[in-house]
Amino acid sequence: RFQYTIRCEGTGALFLAYASDLSKTYATLAQRRVLAHLQAHGIDLGLVEVRTDLGSEFDGDTVHYRPDGFHGSITATGATHRFNPPARPNANADVESSHATIEPEFFDLENFTGPAQFLAAITTYQHFFNFARKNRSRGNRTPAQILALRAPHLDPRALLLPPIFLDAPLGQDLSGPPGILRGVRSVMGYG
């Protein structure tokens, strides 16, 4: 039912995950997975800033951060976490614009017969988005082209992390094949 969207503001790259619930646990799993993937591809997490709205799934309602919570799991990697200012809807515009793009380009056009077909289709769309879809607001370049210009030493495979289902059975290898989809329509994101 829920799409967890992580978007790189610098390149426009898109990373997706899905779950049946909107929760701090799933937001934390999605963010940890992306940060571990980026680090494995040579990205210094000390240079990464994760920005979110003040939603409870991002520890926005937390007085004392836990090391295993959303905020703590980010700072434990060396990355920083910053909340968008309250009452500033444009602060999350990068993620919201990706939602406005994925709806007509993907969800409005595709029909799915099951979880495996959905996952294959959304993986293809995410790879298209990161490697082939040019963005007018970014000089008519793809995220991969922007990455190559800004950081030619980085492996472009850093943009290939496939979407997964976060609510698969506990203990699954989140870098591998997904579990079961329980419906995808509502969209939530962070960048």
Side-chain angles (χ1 to χ4, degrees):
R1 291 184 48 210
F2 293 92
Q3 175 175 295
Y4 288 79
T5 305
I6 300 171
R7 183 121 191 245
C8 173
E9 288 186 343
T11 64
L14 184 67
F15 300 97
L16 302 169
Y18 295 88
S20 59
D21 295 310
L22 178 62
S23 74
K24 189 179 299 188
T25 298
Y26 291 143
T28 302
L29 286 172
Q31 189 63 56
R32 278 183 185 171
R33 180 175 181 260
V34 171
L35 289 174
H37 175 77
L38 296 177
Q39 186 174 40
H41 282 85
I43 295 171
D44 178 2
L45 297 184
L47 303 175
V48 173
E49 178 181 85
V50 175
R51 289 192 303 119
T52 66
D53 62 27
L54 290 163
S56 61
E57 67 273 24
F58 310 124
D59 281 342
D61 61 349
T62 303
V63 176
H64 302 287
Y65 296 121
R66 294 173 40 154
D68 60 343
F70 183 83
H71 177 84
S73 71
I74 292 170
T75 58
T77 68
T80 58
H81 176 223
R82 184 171 62 92
F83 290 110
N84 292 333
R88 301 267 314 271
N90 287 345
N92 211 24
D94 222 33
V95 166
E96 296 306 329
S97 72
S98 72
H99 294 167
T101 300
I102 198 171
E103 283 290 329
E105 288 185 357
F106 182 74
F107 287 112
D108 292 347
L109 299 176
E110 299 289 337
N111 293 309
F112 315 106
T113 59
Q117 184 193 26
F118 169 77
L119 197 65
I122 195 62
T123 298
T124 299
Y125 180 80
Q126 181 179 299
H127 292 168
F128 160 76
F129 193 96
N130 288 344
F131 286 91
R133 187 182 188 286
K134 294 182 179 183
N135 189 318
R136 281 186 305 216
S137 68
R138 296 178 190 275
N140 237 13
R141 292 180 302 227
T142 69
Q145 289 170 327
I146 295 168
L147 180 66
L149 289 171
R150 291 186 176 181
H153 63 284
L154 291 178
D155 187 339
R157 289 180 288 184
L159 304 181
L160 285 176
L161 182 67
I164 63 164
F165 303 125
L166 296 166
D167 48 357
L170 289 178
Q172 80 166 340
D173 177 0
L174 293 180
S175 65
I180 298 170
L181 175 67
R182 293 187 171 85
V184 176
R185 283 311 295 154
S186 298
V187 179
M188 182 284 303
Y190 55 98

